[in-house]
Amino acid sequence: MATIHEVLDIERIENDIFRGSTPDSFLQRTFGGQVAAQSLVAAVRTVDSGYVVHSLHGYFIRPGKPEIPTVYLVDRIRDGRSFATRRVTGVQDGKVIFFMSASFHVQDAGPEHQDEMPAVPYPEDLPDPVALEGSMAAWHAREWPDWDFRQIPAASVDKRPGVAAQQQIWIRYRHALPTDPIFHVCVLTYLSDMTLLGSARVPHASGPHTQGASLDHALWFLRPFRADEWLLYDQTSPSAGFGRAFTQGRIFDRAGNLVAAVTQEGLMRYERPPADRR
């Protein structure tokens, strides 16, 4: 399978127009994290080095085809003294499959606070999913062998009162990555789409089979981090209904720093009979 370097390798084909790579995949649709990460790489390449991306908001419009490269069109919405804004549109076969807005900031000084990291087992005390045949973690290891997932057992999850659905996962890239902080931000964008929608299925694990897909995705980068070091992905799903599930994630580094926050709405509906599918 492709390395994260190959996934994030995009080609400039014209001013503010880029073409993404097509890494090998077992998935029937282009992985949403790949499209979001490649979109961010395209946006970053149009912004001066003094600005750092602090947030992105994206919508998945159509399912992408993994074997077809996605072309990314970047619009330079604003270049201000403190903030810059970019809009990126991902296109396949002449149709929009994804669009995203990304905001960049020069990083000012200001007050600081953050939530505490949940008390959870260390990743070294949890099994490597490669050894867990037949599990969802093992499936993730098959599609993403360069990623190390360590899911915290339900009995060990640091549960908060009144939370409807929750799961916690340690995750890191298995191999050393470049020191460039922007590269790690793009890598985190890729991984942020992994496993998050699964938090909505936790209360319904024994129910009927459901279909799932990312619908929209928002990500805030709060503090520096490295994606090749352990990150705790603390995930919740406050609500599900009408065929959609709303999910949230907080990402902490090993030292307990809150480095990113994620929200996502995804499709979660009962599987339709073949006669009802279009």
Side-chain angles (χ1 to χ4, degrees):
M1 306 303 290
T3 66
I4 194 63
H5 306 76
E6 294 168 325
V7 170
L8 299 181
D9 182 24
I10 66 172
E11 173 191 6
R12 184 190 296 270
I13 58 178
E14 184 53 89
N15 288 338
D16 299 345
I17 302 177
F18 304 84
R19 180 165 48 216
S21 59
T22 54
D24 292 336
S25 175
F26 294 112
L27 303 176
Q28 294 181 339
R29 301 187 298 263
T30 304
F31 174 54
Q34 173 186 315
V35 179
Q38 290 182 345
S39 294
L40 182 57
V41 173
V44 165
R45 292 192 181 178
T46 69
V47 177
D48 292 341
S49 59
Y51 294 86
V52 177
V53 60
H54 71 91
S55 69
L56 62 85
H57 298 71
Y59 282 88
F60 300 94
I61 308 301
R62 293 180 177 87
K65 300 176 181 178
E67 69 279 6
I68 298 177
T70 304
V71 173
Y72 299 98
L73 313 175
V74 182
D75 293 321
R76 303 185 184 223
I77 303 300
R78 181 189 183 218
D79 285 296
R81 294 176 58 186
S82 297
F83 290 90
T85 306
R86 296 292 184 266
R87 181 173 58 216
V88 185
T89 304
V91 179
Q92 280 190 355
D93 285 337
K95 297 180 179 179
V96 176
I97 66 167
F98 178 77
F99 68 82
M100 179 188 79
S101 60
S103 182
F104 298 76
H105 186 218
V106 295
Q107 294 190 314
D108 298 315
E112 294 190 21
H113 66 265
Q114 69 155 75
D115 288 348
E116 290 186 5
M117 185 175 77
V120 296
Y122 293 120
E124 295 83 4
D125 298 329
L126 302 170
D128 191 318
V130 173
L132 302 177
E133 296 184 5
S135 67
M136 180 59 70
W139 183 89
H140 283 118
R142 176 172 174 262
E143 174 66 24
W144 297 292
D146 289 331
W147 291 92
D148 195 347
F149 301 85
R150 306 290 175 97
Q151 183 157 359
I152 295 170
S156 300
V157 169
D158 186 11
K159 296 181 179 178
R160 301 191 289 277
V163 174
Q166 187 176 0
Q167 69 178 8
Q168 294 166 334
I169 298 172
W170 286 103
I171 185 171
R172 67 173 176 179
Y173 196 72
R174 292 183 183 271
H175 313 293
L177 296 173
T179 58
D180 180 9
I182 297 299
F183 190 86
H184 289 263
V185 165
C186 295
V187 173
L188 185 68
T189 301
Y190 182 90
L191 79 83
S192 66
D193 193 35
M194 296 177 178
T195 73
L196 182 55
L197 190 55
S199 64
R201 301 189 186 101
V202 170
H204 314 286
S206 60
H209 182 70
T210 58
Q211 296 174 311
S214 302
L215 297 176
D216 64 1
H217 197 79
L219 182 56
W220 293 263
F221 305 99
L222 307 175
R223 290 172 179 84
F225 61 90
R226 290 190 63 91
D228 53 2
E229 297 177 354
W230 285 115
L231 298 170
L232 177 67
Y233 204 167
D234 179 38
Q235 305 169 344
T236 62
S237 177
S239 177
F242 303 99
R244 303 186 309 276
F246 177 66
T247 58
Q248 298 174 323
R250 302 182 301 168
I251 301 178
F252 296 86
D253 67 13
R254 182 69 176 263
N257 297 305
L258 181 60
V259 302
V262 190
T263 61
Q264 183 182 82
E265 188 177 46
L267 184 71
M268 194 175 77
R269 67 187 179 197
Y270 295 124
E271 194 167 33
R272 295 173 175 175
D276 294 340
R277 300 175 189 168
R278 291 187 297 175

